[in-house]
Amino acid sequence: MEHKVPVQSLIDHIKTATDVDPWAKDMAAELLARDIPVSAEIEGGGHTWFPVCGECHGAIDIPDKFCRHCGQLVCWDA
């Protein structure tokens, strides 16, 4: 049986666990947060505009699903 749990619920659960080392909680929460999509943004000026990751602001290409700099899931809908 497959369970679909929102990523934020998993992060909240891990952060409140009492039997997990604090560094492991932080690491797991950080890795899971990369699966929560952030909107791509447009940066530049004048005649040069380009898409960037909404998390780290590294340059990305339109077909990218994940940022090549930080690994964040990128959403192109916004």
Side-chain angles (χ1 to χ4, degrees), residues 26-43:
D26 293 342
M27 185 180 296
E30 182 180 320
L31 291 170
L32 285 168
R34 290 182 185 171
D35 287 339
I36 299 173
V38 297
S39 295
E41 299 176 4
I42 302 296
E43 290 185 357

Side-chain angles (χ1 to χ4, degrees), residues 27-77:
M27 185 180 296
E30 182 180 320
L31 291 170
L32 285 168
R34 290 182 185 171
D35 287 339
I36 299 173
V38 297
S39 295
E41 299 176 4
I42 302 296
E43 290 185 357
H47 297 288
T48 305
W49 296 91
F50 50 92
V52 297
C53 170
E55 181 67 23
C56 74
H57 296 272
I60 54 177
D61 292 325
I62 290 178
D64 292 345
K65 295 191 185 314
F66 293 90
C67 175
R68 66 187 75 183
H69 305 282
C70 70
Q72 180 68 48
L73 181 62
V74 177
C75 174
W76 292 97
D77 295 340

Side-chain angles (χ1 to χ4, degrees), residues 5 7-8 10-11 14 16 21 26 42 46-48 53 60-61:
V5 178
V7 174
Q8 188 60 52
L10 291 171
I11 293 170
I14 288 168
T16 60
D21 290 329
D26 293 342
I42 302 296
H47 297 288
T48 305
C53 170
I60 54 177
D61 292 325

Side-chain angles (χ1 to χ4, degrees), residues 11-24:
I11 293 170
D12 294 342
H13 180 74
I14 288 168
K15 285 185 174 184
T16 60
T18 58
D19 60 342
V20 180
D21 290 329
W23 63 268

